[in-house]
Amino acid sequence: MVKGRDQLLKEKRQRERQKEKNQRHKRTIIMSTTIFILLVVVVVGIVMVQANKNQASPPTKTSTAPPPQSTQAVPSNTIDISGQPTLGQANAPVSIVEFGDYRCIYCKQLEETIFPKLKKDYIDTGKAKFTFINFTILGPGSSLAANASEIIYHDYPNYFWEFHSTLYHNQGNENKKWVTKSLLTKIAKKTVPNLNVQKFKDELNKETYNNNVLKDHELAVNLKLTGTPDLYVNGKAIADPLNYQLIKAAIDNALNKAGN
Ligand code: CA
């Protein structure tokens, strides 16, 4: 049977429509796949950026950020504060110990925001004493600054805290080598009346008290510290040394235990 011309044309149009339909379907699949791939790329990108951000955020082991602290109690007698600058009454029931680095920005923050409150509420009232121990983890500048503070502590103990706090106030950018012998001498002159400038310079050049800096470092390493600042209240590590309420609670708890 021979198909009519109209019938042939109809079949041809049907085939063409089917072809078009198939092509549209193909295009739809390609577009959906492309959109899906783009979405996956965007999501993976966001996740990676977020992960990098988290990595870049403090704390890290070598940065100056407050490190993750062990809240495990360390008996206070394991932190030997003999030969360390200590402010307050020797027989105060609570012993607060800071491990710090003069180049650490969070240590400066502790010095400027936390320490004045501790001094007013607990040290000046005879409830606590405060000890500073060097933990030099930020390079040669940290060690040089610590050496200068040990010189002041040994030669002019009454002016240690003034020198210590002025040094923090003069802290430079953490990415720059701001600790210099001339800056340390300038701060020593400013904070110590009748400073023997030549002796100070000689001791700084010879690193006369470097063994004390190394001894401090050893104390920190024995406590498995990984960053600065670290704060201990009667031997118990404070999880966040920049949280005054947390420190206050630990001190009040220690005072209660001591029957005060
Ligand atoms: Ca020391």
Side-chain angles (χ1 to χ4, degrees):
M1 199 177 87
V2 178
K3 285 180 183 174
R5 194 167 172 264
D6 287 343
Q7 180 64 22
L8 282 170
L9 279 171
K10 198 178 163 190
E11 284 179 0
K12 195 183 171 197
R13 276 201 297 274
Q14 270 178 350
R15 279 199 303 275
E16 277 169 358
R17 274 202 295 275
Q18 188 57 40
K19 202 177 160 190
E20 258 178 41
K21 204 177 160 189
N22 287 345
Q23 277 175 345
R24 272 204 306 276
H25 185 62
K26 267 186 194 169
R27 278 199 298 272
T28 310
I29 288 177
I30 289 169
M31 257 169 86
S32 310
T33 310
T34 309
I35 289 170
F36 177 73
I37 289 171
L38 277 173
L39 271 173
V40 167
V41 167
V42 167
V43 167
V44 167
I46 291 171
V47 167
M48 281 177 73
V49 166
Q50 200 54 41
N52 278 340
K53 260 191 197 169
N54 290 344
Q55 259 182 7
S57 311
T60 67
K61 279 191 177 182
T62 52
S63 84
T64 53
Q69 302 275 327
S70 158
T71 48
Q72 199 184 353
V74 176
S76 52
N77 60 8
T78 60
I79 305 179
D80 178 10
I81 60 165
S82 61
Q84 303 290 359
T86 299
L87 190 68
Q89 291 176 15
N91 62 353
V94 173
S95 171
I96 306 168
V97 178
E98 180 197 348
F99 285 85
D101 183 317
Y102 290 106
R103 291 193 71 239
C104 152
I105 56 171
Y106 295 98
C107 299
K108 175 183 161 83
Q109 211 173 314
L110 190 150
E111 167 63 25
E112 293 178 348
T113 63
I114 302 292
F115 179 76
K117 292 181 193 163
L118 286 176
K119 186 170 183 299
K120 181 173 168 283
D121 295 346
Y122 297 105
I123 303 168
D124 290 349
T125 54
K127 293 174 181 171
K129 56 188 169 185
F130 184 95
T131 301
F132 178 81
I133 300 177
N134 293 293
F135 186 26
T136 48
I137 53 168
L138 299 173
S142 298
S143 179
L144 185 63
N147 264 273
S149 81
E150 293 285 351
I151 294 170
I152 301 298
Y153 172 61
H154 285 87
D155 295 353
Y156 311 94
N158 293 340
Y159 297 98
F160 171 81
W161 294 100
E162 187 62 27
F163 177 85
H164 168 89
S165 119
T166 310
L167 182 48
Y168 271 126
H169 294 333
N170 281 275
Q171 188 183 79
N173 185 307
E174 66 174 333
N175 298 319
K176 291 185 178 161
K177 291 181 177 176
W178 60 269
V179 181
T180 59
K181 288 178 181 173
S182 71
L183 175 75
L184 295 168
T185 308
K186 195 177 137 194
I187 294 171
K189 276 183 189 170
K190 193 174 161 188
T191 52
V192 181
N194 305 318
L195 175 86
N196 183 333
V197 178
Q198 197 50 53
K199 188 177 175 226
F200 177 81
K201 284 182 175 175
D202 288 346
E203 290 181 336
L204 201 53
N205 285 331
K206 289 181 198 158
E207 298 189 340
T208 305
Y209 295 103
N210 198 45
N211 277 345
N212 294 75
V213 177
L214 297 177
K215 185 192 154 199
D216 287 9
H217 198 274
E218 204 181 313
L219 283 172
V221 169
N222 287 343
L223 287 168
K224 299 188 169 48
L225 303 189
T226 54
T228 52
D230 287 275
L231 210 61
Y232 284 83
V233 171
N234 274 6
K236 191 170 184 275
I238 301 296
D240 178 1
L242 295 177
N243 180 335
Y244 188 64
Q245 290 311 314
L246 207 60
I247 304 166
K248 192 177 182 321
I251 298 174
D252 290 342
N253 187 35
L255 282 169
N256 281 338
K257 277 189 186 165
N260 283 267

